[in-house]
Amino acid sequence: MKWLFAACVVLFAVDMSVGSAAVPLAEVWRAFWGGASEMHAAVVLDIRLLRACTAVLAGASLAVAGLLMQTLFRNPLSGPYVLGISSGASLGVALVLLTGVSWSLGVVGAAWIGAAAVLSVVAALGRRIGDVMVILVLGILFSSGMGALVQILQYLSPEAALKNFVIWTMGSLSDVTAPQMALFAPAIALGLILSVVAAKPLDLLLLGEDYARTSGVRLGRARGVVFGAVTLLAGTVTAFCGPIGFVGLAAPHLGRILFRTASHRRLLPASVGVGVAMMLVCDLASKLLALPVNAISALLGIPIVVWVVVRYKNLSRC
Amino acid sequence: MKQTGRQLFLLFSCIWLVSCGARGTKTADFDRVVYAPRYAAGYSIRANADGQTLLRVENPWQGARDTQFDYVLAKPARRVVCMSSSHVAMLAALGASDRVKGVSGVRYLTQPIEDVHEVGYEGAVDYETLVALKPDVVLLYGVQAASPMETKLRALGIPYIYIGDYVERSPLGKAEWMVAIGELIGRRERAEREFGKIAARYEALRKSIPPLSRTPRVMTNLPYSGSWFVPAADSYQTALLRDAGAEPVYAPTGTTSSESVDLERAYELALQADYWINTDAAASIADLPSRFRRTPAVMKDHVWNNTLRINAGGGNDYWESGVVRPDAVLSDLIRIFHPGILPDSAMTYYRRLR
């Protein structure tokens, strides 16, 4: 596990030294400890550092949210967005960018409210329905319904507004500001703490709901904690960075393979490490190629999932 | 607020000191109007007793209501970043291309500028380059809502100003924003002179059309994937057509945004059109939807597109200099709809589809 986090530190350092503004390495160093020019300090601290921290938080959150969803639904193809978080966020953002309704909320506020609203509806319905698979189906239906509403808004929008929206759906790590970070980081931290709380019940859930129930797990409560954690993690990341695909799906699988474990006590940090490393690589590639982060994360995540599927043939066992 | 004589609920008001040295000023002190636009509805320029000026921008994006930005301008901007090519054209019209340091979409610029950097586009802005350019001001626009860049620019301490040219509903109103930009760079008088010439030429052209026995009817834009987007009656495209002595074949009223018309109705309307202009991506008659190739406008060889000046990157000068030269656009349109009124000369923006 140590080497994984060492790799994350190295990637973070590389990410800090790469960017479109030509800042010499020594200046990057001096930006932190004093002596850098004002412009270089602004580039390194106000832009690069925020962006790299955003990548770290986003990677960790999406990986953990994906892991939680995969265990809860006992479905290896679940990810942070199966319950309609990204569709809810998209609808919120579409209302802001395409119709101008509630623009005072801003893109971030609207996305977060959209994501949280969807998850609360699914969770509320889930309380009445015992079967977790029904919740999964509801989530998928909800996503499609909201996708349809977004399509209507897109259809009726002028080109330039459409472009803004489409670009939002491609994800961006560079829009988080320092005051927003003060909201972003604590929300993610809280989500991660909730995930740690959920680790033990999740271990038991792996053996089946009946087994978990007889072992003393209160299923309703465990589900509530997981939903809360996923809203905080994936909802917040989507609000600030847009939907970022495949990291949440691929990172937990890679964690399982690298550490050959199913215990959430180990899988949680493993997924965090893999997620952070993946996001930092995505950020680097997105900066070097000047391409949107969502395209990079898909191109990087898909081969990993394919490799997992082909190598282990049976995803539910690995 | 009292000066405007109406109750303005300020959903959003912002005083931005474009440069230091203007601290401690109050917007209420700017009680002398130094420039009240004749055609543009979205801005005014005021001054206070100390001779400082304030640019007041109202409702700079579609659907904005009671939104007002007050910018106190302390000293002329020397380093400008433009998010829209029309703002680049306005600076060029004032002989200030050299002040443009960064642009969104450099490869689309049809009039190349020396030493200009790409800053990316809304939602994918390259903030590192933007900061490194040390702009005095970033010229923004909002589409349906505030620009997504606003929060980040504020956090980075980079001054910005909304330029609302694209929401103006008259061609001259759009162009008149060059005076606001002139004020920003310390060349208002020159901007007023330049705009005055453009407006005079436009008005003269408009009046050159003799009374017509029959007004030609015009179809605009290209039906695409089952629907046709028609500019509203109260829009800049329709205003241009009417000033050129033509009528849109259909123009939705009671709205300022385009309306989507389905293909059957579009075909019905196309049958009534004498001319067809602004065919978007269709560069030849063969690119038009097959069913529309036998409509009267096509049969009479009356199909024109505003794509005479396109650069290698796909940028169209119609959307760049065309915004500051509505007189040139109008002159093209009059020569399309009413051949013989104006002396023969080459088209500026329009070419005939073959």
Side-chain angles (χ1 to χ4, degrees):
Chain A
M1 195 81 73
K2 275 180 199 148
W3 60 265
L4 179 58
F5 285 95
C8 289
V9 172
V10 172
L11 283 170
F12 188 88
V14 176
D15 199 27
M16 282 303 298
S17 45
V18 172
S20 57
V23 182
L25 274 180
E27 281 285 284
V28 175
W29 185 254
R30 280 198 288 272
F32 285 96
W33 312 111
S37 77
E38 199 186 330
M39 196 271 282
H40 287 154
V43 167
V44 171
L45 299 177
D46 295 346
I47 297 170
R48 261 183 221 177
L49 182 62
L50 275 175
R51 185 169 171 157
C53 290
T54 307
V56 167
L57 290 171
S61 314
L62 293 173
V64 169
L67 173 67
L68 296 181
M69 292 285 95
Q70 285 170 8
T71 305
L72 188 72
F73 293 116
R74 278 167 287 144
N75 183 332
L77 286 178
S78 294
Y81 300 135
V82 280
L83 290 178
I85 283 193
S86 70
S87 332
S90 300
L91 183 58
V93 172
L95 283 173
V96 172
L97 292 183
L98 301 181
T99 68
V101 173
S102 72
W103 67 266
S104 56
L105 268 179
V107 167
V108 173
W112 205 88
I113 290 174
V118 171
L119 216 63
S120 354
V121 173
V122 173
L125 286 171
R127 286 180 76 88
R128 294 157 162 251
I129 300 159
D131 189 355
V132 78
M133 289 306 150
V134 177
I135 302 181
L136 183 61
V137 171
L138 282 177
I140 292 169
L141 291 176
F142 256 71
S143 297
S144 310
M146 265 169 302
L149 292 179
V150 170
Q151 272 185 356
I152 294 176
L153 293 177
Q154 285 179 310
Y155 183 75
L156 299 172
S157 303
E159 280 168 47
L162 204 55
K163 184 169 180 192
N164 279 351
F165 179 74
V166 170
I167 286 168
W168 179 82
T169 64
M170 295 178 183
S172 163
L173 296 169
S174 62
D175 289 336
V176 179
T177 61
Q180 286 174 341
M181 191 50 102
L183 213 70
F184 188 33
I188 301 300
L190 192 61
L192 291 175
I193 291 169
L194 282 181
S195 316
V196 172
V197 171
K200 198 174 168 199
L202 283 174
D203 277 347
L204 292 166
L205 266 175
L206 278 180
L207 302 167
E209 286 191 352
D210 291 339
Y211 183 88
R213 200 178 290 119
T214 50
S215 310
V217 174
R218 285 160 69 187
L219 280 183
R221 215 176 94 182
R223 243 183 237 165
V225 173
V226 169
F227 284 164
V230 170
T231 312
L232 281 169
L233 295 170
T236 311
V237 171
T238 312
F240 283 101
C241 311
I244 298 174
F246 288 99
V247 171
L249 178 61
H253 287 304
L254 214 53
R256 282 189 199 97
I257 291 169
L258 288 175
F259 298 99
R260 301 196 172 280
T261 178
S263 152
H264 285 81
R265 290 261 162 95
R266 275 178 65 73
L267 263 185
L268 276 173
S271 304
V272 167
V274 174
V276 168
M278 277 181 76
M279 257 346 273
L280 285 169
V281 171
C282 289
D283 187 35
L284 268 169
S286 132
K287 279 201 263 192
L288 291 173
L289 304 171
L291 287 174
V293 71
N294 204 356
I296 306 279
S297 69
L299 290 178
L300 189 76
I302 290 170
I304 294 178
V305 179
V306 169
W307 178 61
V308 169
V309 175
V310 171
R311 171 139 188 224
Y312 291 85
K313 305 218 169 57
N314 184 346
L315 268 178
S316 36
R317 219 179 42 213
C318 71
Chain B
M1 276 191 283
K2 276 178 195 152
Q3 294 145 10
T4 56
R6 62 193 162 118
Q7 277 287 320
L8 250 184
F9 169 67
L10 293 186
L11 193 67
F12 202 100
S13 172
C14 130
I15 301 181
W16 196 271
L17 305 178
V18 164
S19 171
C20 23
R23 286 177 209 286
T25 49
K26 286 201 290 279
T27 34
D29 296 339
F30 292 87
D31 47 6
R32 189 163 56 85
V33 175
V34 290
Y35 187 77
R38 273 185 291 161
Y39 303 91
Y43 76 93
S44 61
I45 303 172
R46 291 146 189 277
N48 67 4
D50 301 337
Q52 286 176 324
T53 51
L54 174 135
L55 175 64
R56 173 164 292 172
V57 175
E58 286 176 51
N59 301 331
W61 54 84
Q62 278 176 324
R65 265 185 295 164
D66 305 332
T67 307
Q68 179 178 304
F69 297 88
D70 283 339
Y71 306 101
V72 176
L73 311 175
K75 63 178 185 194
R78 305 218 154 265
R79 305 181 62 83
V80 183
V81 169
C82 300
M83 297 309 291
S84 161
S85 58
S86 64
H87 308 160
V88 178
M90 287 180 190
L91 285 158
L94 302 175
S97 294
D98 55 327
R99 303 216 188 166
V100 181
K101 300 300 174 194
V103 169
S104 170
V106 168
R107 69 198 170 97
Y108 298 122
L109 289 183
T110 50
Q111 323 280 336
I113 297 176
E114 271 177 37
D115 195 28
V116 67
H117 291 78
E118 175 64 52
V119 297
Y121 40 86
E122 274 83 358
V125 175
D126 181 351
Y127 288 106
E128 290 197 13
T129 301
L130 193 58
V131 167
L133 288 175
K134 296 186 200 148
D136 293 325
V137 65
V138 177
L139 305 184
L140 284 187
Y141 62 90
V143 187
Q144 307 288 73
S147 165
M149 293 170 69
E150 211 186 79
T151 329
K152 189 79 181 180
L153 287 180
R154 214 179 300 143
L156 292 172
I158 299 175
Y160 57 84
I161 283 185
Y162 277 100
I163 300 297
D165 58 329
Y166 93 103
V167 280
E168 294 292 342
R169 287 168 209 164
S170 80
L172 285 174
K174 268 182 199 290
E176 199 170 14
W177 275 86
M178 68 197 284
V179 180
I181 288 185
E183 177 68 44
L184 209 60
I185 59 165
R187 291 190 184 171
R188 190 185 73 233
E189 281 170 13
R190 175 167 177 181
E192 284 185 46
R193 275 200 311 276
E194 292 293 332
F195 177 71
K197 281 188 256 173
I198 291 165
R201 279 197 297 263
Y202 188 96
E203 294 292 1
L205 282 166
R206 195 164 66 85
K207 288 176 187 142
S208 71
I209 303 164
L212 302 160
S213 53
R214 186 179 166 280
T215 313
R217 307 194 66 198
V218 183
M219 168 161 174
T220 45
N221 298 351
L222 183 71
Y224 175 74
S225 181
S227 54
W228 175 42
F229 284 90
V230 194
D234 187 12
S235 72
Y236 136 91
Q237 293 98 321
T238 307
L240 261 175
L241 285 187
R242 292 192 170 143
D243 288 344
E247 265 301 310
V249 74
Y250 170 64
T253 49
T255 169
T256 54
S257 53
S258 299
E259 182 183 300
S260 152
V261 165
D262 78 45
L263 216 53
E264 289 182 17
R265 174 112 174 87
Y267 183 63
E268 208 172 71
L269 290 164
L271 290 176
Q272 303 167 22
D274 307 304
Y275 290 87
W276 188 354
I277 61 163
N278 300 359
T279 52
D280 293 332
S284 70
I285 297 291
D287 295 338
L288 299 173
S290 56
R291 165 179 348 185
F292 288 84
R293 270 177 240 153
R294 300 196 62 78
T295 50
V298 181
M299 304 299 277
K300 283 187 269 183
D301 213 9
H302 283 173
V303 189
W304 294 77
N305 204 358
N306 52 11
T307 49
L308 188 60
R309 296 199 205 179
I310 292 223
N311 73 357
N316 186 351
D317 198 29
Y318 179 84
W319 301 113
E320 199 177 310
S321 75
V323 176
V324 271
R325 289 297 310 280
D327 54 325
V329 176
L330 188 68
S331 149
D332 275 8
L333 290 178
I334 292 176
R335 272 179 290 157
I336 290 173
F337 302 140
H338 311 288
I341 291 185
L342 299 178
D344 261 353
S345 64
M347 289 280 178
T348 315
Y349 300 106
Y350 278 88
R351 63 178 194 85
R352 196 192 290 268
L353 251 61
R354 301 284 179 194

